[in-house]
Amino acid sequence: MRISGSRPRSVVGLIGFPLGHTISPAFQQAAFDYHSLPTVYEAWQTPPDGLTAALGRVRQPDCLGMNVTIPHKEAILPLLDSVDEWARQIGAVNTVVNDGGRLHGHNTDATGFLRALREPGAFEVSGKRVVLVGAGGVARAVVLTLARECAASLAIANRSVARAEALAVLARSAGLPAEVIDISDESGLGAAIGAADLLVNATSVGMWHAAPGSPVAAAHLHDRLFVHDLIYNPVETVLLREAERAGARTLNGLSMLVFQGAAAFELWTSRRAPVGLMMARAVDALARAQAESGEGDG
Ligand code: NAP
C-alpha cells in the first residue's frame, strides 16, 4: 500500500526471466510500507538481451537498486561497478545497490540460507556432517556458507557428476572436506545420508512444474537428520513429507527466500527489515499464487 495521496519517489526492481507469479513484490513492499518509505518494488520481466537496458534503469537517481534472479545472476557480474568479495566467491549476484549511479553487487542467498537454518531451524552447522543434493547456482552459496561455518564434512550428490566435482573442488579450496556421489548410486547416497546430520536439497526435484517426486529415497531418511529443502513452492515437498514421516526435523525454502530478501532490503534502505511481517506476506502471496496458477519464483 502506498502512502495516501503521495507518489512514489523511488523504486526497486526485480529482474529475471520468466518471473511467473513472483512473491517477492508482496513481501518487499510490506517492508517499505512498514517504514513508510515512498518506494515501490516492481517486477521487471527481463529476457537475457534486456539486461543492459535494465542496468541503465537502475542507475537512475530514483532507483535504490534491484534484486536479480535466473538467468541474470552470473551474467551481471562483469557489468557492475563493484561486487563484494562474498558474491565474487559465489560467482553470483542477487542484489544490486545504486549508490549515486554506481552499481554495487551483493549475494544475500548465503545469508538467507544460514539465517533460516539458525532461526526457524534452530540448527548450527559447525561440526556437522552434511549431504547436499544439487550442484546448480544456489548450491555454490550453500557450499561456501557450510565451509565458512565450519561444517565437518560434505558429500555432494548430483545428476551431473562433473558439476558436483567442480563444487567439491570449491568446497575443498575453502577448507571443507568434500566427496562426490552420483545421485543414482543408491548405496553410496544411503550411506552418506545415514551418517549425516544435515541434508540440503538444492535440486529443483519436487518443485512445482519441475521434476516430480523426491531427489532422495525415503528409505535413506532417519530421525537424527535435519532436512532443509530449499524449495518453497510447494511449501511441503515430497522430500519434506517423507522426512517428517521418518522423524527428521524439516525446513522448507520460504524462510531462506524471506531472509535473503530482508538482507537485500537492509542494503537498499539501511533500515531493519520487519521479517515477521515479510514472512506473513510471503505466506499469503504464495497461497494466492498457487491458487491462481501454481507458480512462484526462486
Ligand atoms: P539450477 O542452477 O538450475 O540447478 C538445478 C539443480 O537441480 C541442478 O543440480 C540439477 O542437476 C538438478 N536437477 C534438475 N532437474 C533434475 C532431475 N530431473 N533430476 C535430478 N536433478 C535435477 O537451479 P538453482 O538456482 O541452483 O535452484 C535450485 C533449487 O533451489 C530450485 O528448486 C530453487 O527453487 C531453489 N532455490 C531456493 C531459493 C530460496 O530462497 N529458497 C533460492 C534459490 C534457489 P544437474 O546439474 O544434473 O542439471
Side-chain angles (χ1 to χ4, degrees):
M1 196 204 325
R2 279 179 206 165
I3 302 162
S4 171
S6 68
R7 284 171 57 76
R9 290 198 303 272
S10 58
V11 65
V12 171
L14 163 66
I15 63 165
F17 190 83
L19 283 178
H21 278 69
T22 170
I23 64 170
S24 292
F27 68 78
Q28 290 288 5
Q29 192 61 52
F32 288 110
D33 294 347
Y34 173 84
H35 284 290
S36 301
L37 295 169
T39 306
V40 281
Y41 184 99
E42 295 175 345
W44 299 337
Q45 175 129 283
T46 306
D49 63 3
L51 182 55
T52 307
L55 286 166
R57 176 68 187 91
V58 180
R59 282 186 205 277
Q60 297 303 307
D62 69 331
C63 191
L64 304 185
M66 65 179 173
N67 275 140
V68 182
T69 189
I70 293 169
H72 304 301
K73 281 176 147 180
E74 288 93 15
I76 200 169
L77 259 83
L79 306 175
L80 298 170
D81 297 301
S82 74
V83 175
D84 76 15
E85 183 51 31
W86 191 232
R88 193 169 293 288
Q89 279 182 39
I90 294 169
V93 159
N94 77 335
T95 302
V96 173
V97 176
N98 178 18
D99 179 12
R102 291 184 62 75
L103 301 185
H104 305 293
H106 304 265
N107 189 305
T108 65
D109 281 336
T111 310
F113 168 71
L114 187 63
R115 196 169 167 194
L117 268 183
R118 280 208 174 128
E119 294 188 20
F123 184 92
E124 278 302 326
V125 165
S126 172
K128 300 300 195 312
R129 290 156 298 183
V130 185
V131 174
L132 169 67
V133 284
V138 76
R140 282 182 68 88
V142 169
V143 164
L144 287 172
T145 306
L146 295 172
R148 194 180 60 175
E149 296 301 314
C150 301
S153 65
L154 175 65
I156 306 170
N158 197 48
R159 185 178 56 179
S160 151
V161 176
R163 245 177 146 184
E165 295 281 7
L167 208 51
V169 168
L170 178 74
R172 288 180 210 121
S173 73
L176 174 57
E179 61 165 324
V180 167
I181 302 167
D182 185 327
I183 205 165
S184 60
D185 171 9
E186 283 301 332
S187 67
L189 188 56
I193 295 173
D197 306 293
L198 173 65
L199 171 66
V200 178
N201 177 30
T203 73
S204 42
V205 179
M207 197 170 126
W208 205 275
H209 286 185
S214 167
V216 165
H220 301 325
L221 304 170
H222 56 83
D223 63 4
R224 300 173 314 284
L225 204 54
F226 188 102
V227 180
H228 189 186
D229 196 331
L230 304 191
I231 293 173
Y232 57 84
N233 187 3
V235 285
E236 190 180 54
T237 57
V238 174
L239 170 62
L240 291 182
R241 207 160 44 240
E242 291 178 343
E244 276 153 27
R245 246 182 247 138
R249 290 190 291 148
T250 61
L251 182 68
N252 69 32
L254 200 56
S255 300
M256 174 177 167
L257 181 77
V258 170
F259 285 133
Q260 64 76 29
F265 177 85
E266 291 176 356
L267 285 167
W268 298 316
T269 65
S270 302
R271 311 264 180 125
R272 200 172 174 79
V275 288
L277 174 68
M278 293 169 86
M279 179 61 79
R281 292 294 165 81
V283 169
D284 291 348
L286 188 56
R288 272 200 308 279
Q290 285 172 337
E292 282 165 23
S293 80
E295 284 189 43
D297 55 4

